[in-house]
Amino acid sequence: SQTIHQWPATLVQPVGSPLSLECTVEGTSNPNLYWYRQAAGRGLQLLFYSVGIGQISSEVPQNLSASRPQDRQFILSSKKLLLSDSGFYLCAWSAPDRSYTEAFFGQGTRLTVV
Amino acid sequence: GENVEQHPSTLSVQEGDSAVIKCTYSDSASNYFPWYKQELGKRPQLIIDIRSNVGEKKDQRIAVTLNKTAKHFSLHITETQPEDSAVYFCAASKEGAQKLVFGQGTRLTINP
């Protein structure tokens, strides 16, 4: 069966520090991968998605970047965090060979920028 | 691109009553509409979904209806229970889009 791992679960970082959140998927090949952000009391905002190694689509302009160095690994990064980067970050995957996009989420990373 | 609007943002109902959450979408090509439930501090999980070739789908106390002409779909929860308290998200997608667009979420509270 497929599983998704996301870490760390919580993170407190000072303003201006770098960020690296990692997500890996097991049990499937060539998954579609996603990074979502959920600000307090807000909806799920799609930040990046990837349909293959090295292929990254950015949905909103921001202080963050994403990379997919391996088929089942998706990384969210920042060179210098802003206070507004605080939120709940969710990685997700979906099967690439389906006509519809059911997403399976990781457990999330709660990032607090201080 | 697709835009999904969800209402209400908060909903409070008495235990045993019904709850209805509504969503509208903008892209008439969208053909897949899932609903996710997110309990406090946890990941969103799929609870029910509907595709555009049907108008209604039911799973025990949960049902979803779709009106393609009006471009809206709704989640109906009957005989609500305290464990139904959570944030619910609707979403829309279309074949080949490879991504889901979510609504803003509804915080549902079931009062005992």
Side-chain angles (χ1 to χ4, degrees):
Chain A
S1 64
Q2 301 89 0
T3 56
I4 180 169
H5 303 280
Q6 182 181 344
W7 67 93
T10 60
L11 191 60
V12 180
Q13 291 284 97
V15 168
S17 64
L19 172 74
S20 181
L21 302 181
E22 189 164 344
C23 172
T24 59
V25 180
E26 297 176 358
T28 185
S29 296
N30 196 33
N32 297 327
L33 296 172
Y34 309 88
W35 278 110
Y36 285 89
R37 176 169 58 198
Q38 187 176 21
R42 303 281 297 277
L44 292 166
Q45 181 185 36
L46 180 61
L47 302 176
F48 302 95
Y49 71 99
S50 172
V51 299
I53 295 175
Q55 300 179 60
I56 309 294
S57 296
S58 175
E59 290 294 293
V60 293
Q62 59 205 310
N63 184 41
L64 302 167
S65 62
S67 62
R68 184 171 178 172
Q70 300 181 47
D71 181 43
R72 290 169 288 180
Q73 183 185 28
F74 205 25
I75 298 172
L76 183 69
S77 304
S78 173
K79 292 182 179 178
K80 289 185 177 182
L81 283 169
L82 306 173
L83 286 174
S84 57
D85 292 323
S86 293
F88 192 49
Y89 289 82
L90 288 155
C91 180
W93 73 273
S94 68
D97 55 349
R98 308 285 282 271
S99 60
Y100 57 93
T101 311
E102 177 182 352
F104 300 90
F105 287 87
Q107 69 270 29
T109 296
R110 187 161 302 283
L111 171 66
T112 304
V113 182
V114 296
Chain B
E2 175 66 278
N3 183 50
V4 178
E5 297 287 335
Q6 183 173 347
H7 300 281
S9 57
T10 60
L11 180 61
S12 182
V13 301
Q14 289 298 119
E15 182 177 353
D17 289 350
S18 296
V20 180
I21 303 170
K22 299 180 180 180
C23 289
T24 60
Y25 60 99
S26 61
D27 190 343
S28 57
S30 289
N31 59 0
Y32 175 63
F33 307 94
W35 286 88
Y36 285 77
K37 176 182 180 182
Q38 184 181 28
E39 297 179 358
L40 188 63
K42 297 190 175 180
R43 73 188 80 186
Q45 293 190 299
L46 180 72
I47 54 172
I48 194 168
D49 56 15
I50 191 169
R51 297 176 216 176
S52 59
N53 58 345
V54 298
E56 183 173 0
K57 184 176 179 181
K58 196 171 183 179
D59 182 4
Q60 300 182 343
R61 298 186 295 107
I62 293 174
V64 58
T65 58
L66 171 65
N67 183 327
K68 287 192 295 182
T69 303
K71 291 191 285 188
H72 67 70
F73 56 111
S74 300
L75 177 71
H76 304 253
I77 306 174
T78 58
E79 300 173 18
T80 53
Q81 300 169 5
E83 53 265 36
D84 295 329
S85 294
V87 178
Y88 291 81
F89 292 96
C90 64
S93 180
K94 60 184 177 183
E95 188 168 347
Q98 306 285 11
K99 62 181 180 179
L100 282 170
V101 177
F102 283 87
Q104 299 89 333
T106 296
R107 183 173 299 279
L108 175 63
T109 302
I110 307 302
N111 300 311

